[in-house]
Amino acid sequence: MGKISILPDNLCNQIAAGEVVERPAAVVKELVENSIDARSRKISVILLQGGRKEIRVVDNGVGMSSDDALLALERHATSKIKTLEDLQSVESLGFRGEALPSIAAVSRFELLTKESEALSGVCIRVDGGILKDVREAGCPSGTMITVRDLFHNIPARRKFLRSVDTEMAHISDQFLRLSMAHPEIHFQLSHQGRLQYDFPSADNILDRAGQVFGTELAGKLMPFSMEAPRVNLHGLAGQPELQRANSRFLFIYVNGRPVWDRLLNRTVLSAYDTLMPKGRFPLVVLYLGLPPAEVDVNVHPTKREIRLRSPGDVLEAVRSTVRQTMERSGPQGGPGSFHHRMTARDGRFRFPVPGARESQVSIEDAFRGSPFQRASSPPAQLAAFPNALDCPEIHATDGADAEKAAGDGPSFSRLSVLGQLANTYILLESPDGLVLIDQHAAHERILFDRLSSSSPGEAGSQRLAQSLVLNLFPREAAMLRRHLEHLSRIGFEIEPFGGDSFMIHAVPTVLNFPAPDVIIREMLEAALEEEKSPRWDLLSSLAKTASCHSALRAGQKLQPEEIRSLLEQLDRTRAPVTCPHGRPLACKLTHSEIARLFKRT
Ligand code: ADP
Ligand code: MG
């Protein structure tokens, strides 16, 4: 007997399901895309238990005849392409004919559909890929697909489903991306009987952006468009002050299809070069229109990745259009507070302070005044000098070494202060040379230590005069919910306020927080990014963001007593040689190095 046999269809479908339907969000995506392809004007997504229990997508599109409906459940059955040539020029979202049979193979699946001219519709039930029932059914025109108990017949896959919150976060991500792709379609999403998103048909992308991101945020988006023979693009570019801690706010579409393409993402980011610090991301919605033959969409089963046939020109068009939009907004151009922090020279924005590493500008503005005077100091306990600073040359002290060396850390406060350089570095004279301290990094370290080392209550908590409501995206909300307990340990008092909203009642005393809601959102975004790393720890991640935001700035003139206080506090930290990000906060030029500079030796 031969060793090779053709796999039964249902097994093929289950295998394909492994690629196409990795989680409930993927089911939502495939079903909603089918509804869009079916020219629906309204699409509703209805979920139970984060889609683990039930996903239902209802549309008012063209529907299917009963023959087509049965065919649609066969592998490689599609109405969207017929020939290889069609594939070269596909304009619909689907074309592989895999989604429905794959989903039906791994769930309890029900399809109810009717074409508008038909008198009655058809209802088809499939359980784990096995056809259970086909009957005539009365129903409105359009299609309703219900997917229950995803992966019920594949326990190994079911095990990999995450918490309701996490699955919901993935679903809303997909849902928002698809909603943003089609402002003309009315989109709704409800979970556990509660309507979470309702985006009535909008006239233009800016109105849809207002529904998706909120009107306040949408007010800081700048429309752009550009047309050339082989490429046209339009969209909305967030002002640099809208910077986010992760790249999830890049909404990029190629020929109407949401894509996640590294090259395109990088190109959009490059348009913000020098307007935003490293590791920060803009909010950009970009619709790219290309001749279908210029894009290969068939490189990935979920069609999320694409391949551009001649990327060079396209990418340059994207970069320069977005860039010009930023530059056009000019120093007085748009609303928002970031402009007056920047100086415009030859039409480009530059940060006023050379080497200033902080530019979270709108937030920066919120932190006027010097927060560090508020950080009250425990009794001084000066350690023996020096050791950690005994580095042979001026160099960036490696983070790990620094932590080690800091055991009985240096005593900066005993050194005499020579002054401040560029309002950014504090200059000290040590017995064997010149010590430079980066004032921002140093203050970050102080705040970080106070936050991350506090035992319950120690950080102190300050009630806000007026509690603030914090509305979050589901993913951030899930993150916050998981860590409320932790946060209360460092002095936050945050209370769930229904759905994805929270009330902030109190914040840690050590931090000067004029806009705690902004900071908390920032912290959550940063935390979501860093969570992927195996060495991640919530407390330090939060402390890092928070301290970074409220620390002293480079470019800030310090009074002698402020410098003193900073040095004393620095001496009491655990690792007074690096900032929380591992950058050096102090370095030294020894006498012999100085002598060498002057060729004395
Ligand atoms: P594809 O979208 O790649 O063609 P699917 O398995 O997702 O493959 O769908 C198979 C076919 O079923 C589609 O080509 C379409 O003809 C039909 N179909 C699926 N969903 C709908 C819907 N909501 N309304 C009308 N037709 C649909
Ligand atoms: Mg499809």
Side-chain angles (χ1 to χ4, degrees):
M1 206 174 86
K3 289 182 191 145
I4 299 177
S5 61
I6 306 276
L7 295 173
D9 262 2
N10 196 30
L11 187 52
C12 291
N13 288 333
Q14 292 185 354
I15 293 170
E19 292 180 324
V20 184
V21 247
E22 34 176 352
R23 62 189 340 150
V27 174
V28 170
K29 170 183 179 287
E30 293 294 339
L31 297 183
V32 170
E33 285 190 349
N34 280 345
S35 298
I36 293 172
D37 282 346
R39 300 198 297 279
S40 308
R41 280 160 291 109
K42 179 174 179 188
I43 301 172
S44 305
V45 179
I46 301 155
L47 305 155
L48 291 177
Q49 292 177 20
R52 304 170 46 135
K53 181 91 203 112
E54 187 174 304
I55 299 165
R56 170 173 285 175
V57 174
V58 187
D59 71 43
N60 61 0
V62 296
M64 286 173 263
S65 68
S66 51
D67 285 354
D68 276 354
L70 275 167
L71 207 55
L73 292 166
E74 295 285 331
R75 194 162 163 72
H76 303 312
T78 177
S79 58
K80 299 169 192 174
I81 56 169
K82 293 203 159 60
T83 65
L84 184 60
E85 286 77 62
D86 291 347
L87 179 58
Q88 314 278 306
S89 60
V90 63
E91 289 184 28
S92 56
L93 295 171
F95 56 81
R96 294 168 66 109
E98 273 185 328
L100 293 191
S102 302
I103 295 167
V106 295
S107 68
R108 298 185 222 282
F109 180 95
E110 193 180 294
L111 165 64
L112 186 63
T113 186
K114 184 178 100 61
E115 291 180 304
S116 63
E117 61 277 19
L119 291 175
S120 65
V122 62
C123 177
I124 302 174
R125 280 197 309 116
V126 180
D127 189 340
I130 296 159
L131 186 64
K132 291 286 181 184
D133 187 29
V134 183
R135 58 192 159 79
E136 212 180 275
C139 59
S141 300
T143 303
M144 174 171 99
I145 290 177
T146 311
V147 175
R148 298 194 181 89
D149 304 325
L150 188 64
F151 299 134
H152 73 93
N153 55 342
I154 310 187
R157 295 297 303 272
R158 179 134 191 112
K159 245 187 11 222
F160 278 99
L161 291 181
R162 299 302 190 79
S163 69
V164 168
D165 276 346
T166 304
E167 296 302 344
M168 269 319 282
H170 285 281
I171 290 172
S172 13
D173 223 69
Q174 291 286 3
F175 178 83
L176 297 178
R177 276 170 207 282
L178 288 161
S179 303
M180 210 48 235
H182 291 276
E184 75 284 1
I185 299 177
H186 182 175
F187 281 95
Q188 285 185 328
L189 180 143
S190 63
H191 185 219
Q192 304 292 86
R194 204 180 127 247
L195 188 61
Q196 287 207 338
Y197 298 114
D198 185 13
F199 307 146
S201 167
D203 287 340
N204 55 54
I205 54 170
L206 199 56
D207 288 352
R208 175 52 54 90
Q211 297 167 339
V212 171
F213 303 114
T215 44
E216 192 191 326
L217 217 149
K220 294 174 180 162
L221 298 175
M222 295 178 284
F224 59 83
S225 70
M226 193 287 267
E227 220 160 309
R230 300 183 69 73
V231 49
N232 66 74
L233 53 96
H234 70 288
L236 302 167
Q239 294 172 0
E241 66 166 302
L242 279 188
Q243 52 186 270
R244 326 299 297 182
N246 60 51
S247 55
R248 286 189 305 108
F249 292 85
L250 298 180
F251 283 56
I252 302 182
Y253 305 87
V254 174
N255 294 345
R257 185 188 304 281
V259 297
W260 189 258
D261 181 77
R262 275 196 32 229
L263 260 183
L264 274 172
N265 285 3
R266 275 228 304 272
T267 303
V268 170
L269 295 183
S270 74
Y272 282 81
D273 198 25
T274 70
L275 299 181
M276 229 173 244
K278 272 215 152 34
R280 313 288 303 171
F281 300 87
L283 193 166
V284 175
V285 184
L286 166 68
Y287 306 89
L288 198 54
L290 297 165
E294 291 285 304
V295 207
D296 189 354
V297 285
N298 193 24
V299 291
H300 193 262
T302 68
K303 303 172 240 106
R304 194 179 154 154
E305 288 167 25
I306 50 155
R307 194 170 295 139
L308 300 176
R309 294 203 208 282
S310 48
D313 297 349
V314 175
L315 298 179
E316 182 45 32
V318 168
R319 199 201 60 79
S320 60
T321 307
V322 176
R323 182 72 189 192
Q324 280 160 22
T325 311
M326 291 303 111
E327 288 172 356
R328 245 202 343 265
S329 81
Q332 288 89 33
S337 55
F338 85 97
H339 298 288
H340 67 261
R341 304 279 318 189
M342 299 184 170
T343 50
R345 273 175 250 148
D346 40 89
R348 314 184 81 214
F349 290 127
R350 301 236 169 79
F351 293 106
V353 182
R357 60 161 67 97
E358 288 308 319
S359 48
Q360 284 90 351
V361 184
S362 63
I363 290 154
E364 184 175 333
D365 272 352
F367 288 104
R368 285 199 197 87
S370 166
F372 88 79
Q373 289 144 318
R374 300 191 170 207
S376 67
S377 333
Q381 229 180 31
L382 294 183
F385 180 79
N387 50 25
L389 274 180
D390 279 344
C391 31
E393 290 168 50
I394 281 206
H395 71 277
T397 313
D398 166 68
D401 282 356
E403 298 274 348
K404 242 188 290 143
D408 45 349
S411 170
F412 295 111
S413 58
R414 286 193 187 169
L415 306 182
S416 61
V417 179
L418 300 175
Q420 211 183 356
L421 176 66
N423 289 342
T424 298
Y425 308 100
I426 298 168
L427 305 182
L428 303 173
E429 179 172 2
S430 84
D432 56 348
L434 174 70
V435 174
L436 292 97
I437 291 180
D438 178 324
Q439 66 194 40
H440 171 75
H443 191 229
E444 241 180 33
R445 164 55 67 187
I446 292 166
L447 292 178
F448 173 76
D449 264 36
R450 289 181 55 79
L451 274 174
S452 59
S453 67
S454 12
S455 45
E458 194 187 302
S461 189
Q462 189 173 343
R463 287 200 79 75
L464 302 176
Q466 198 168 15
S467 296
L468 278 172
V469 179
L470 180 67
N471 297 310
L472 295 174
F473 282 116
R475 194 190 290 254
E476 277 89 357
M479 167 63 108
L480 183 55
R481 235 171 263 128
R482 277 204 297 287
H483 298 293
L484 278 180
E485 171 73 32
H486 267 94
L487 284 169
S488 73
R489 276 188 37 206
I490 58 172
F492 286 97
E493 198 185 310
I494 301 173
E495 180 194 24
F497 193 52
D500 295 328
S501 301
F502 296 82
M503 275 288 227
I504 311 169
H505 300 298
V507 300
T509 319
V510 60
L511 294 167
N512 186 23
F513 267 21
D517 47 340
V518 177
I519 303 296
I520 291 169
R521 197 189 305 272
E522 286 276 316
M523 292 194 297
L524 292 168
E525 278 181 25
L528 279 169
E529 268 311 283
E530 291 170 15
E531 197 178 27
K532 290 172 204 139
S533 125
R535 287 174 50 229
W536 182 79
D537 162 62
L538 172 100
L539 214 57
S540 62
S541 160
L542 293 182
K544 221 183 282 178
T545 321
S547 56
C548 177
H549 280 307
S550 44
L552 277 172
R553 301 286 139 195
Q556 193 170 326
K557 175 94 193 120
L558 299 183
Q559 298 307 314
E561 60 283 6
E562 290 180 313
I563 294 179
R564 273 284 143 227
S565 153
L566 184 75
L567 296 177
E568 279 165 17
Q569 293 180 60
L570 188 57
D571 286 344
R572 286 190 292 272
T573 61
R574 283 169 302 170
V577 281
T578 60
C579 82
H581 314 279
R583 292 189 295 261
L585 59 80
C587 53
K588 181 159 67 176
L589 205 50
T590 61
H591 286 144
S592 60
E593 282 156 354
I594 295 170
R596 228 178 296 141
L597 288 175
F598 289 100
K599 311 249 182 283
R600 280 164 159 266
T601 54

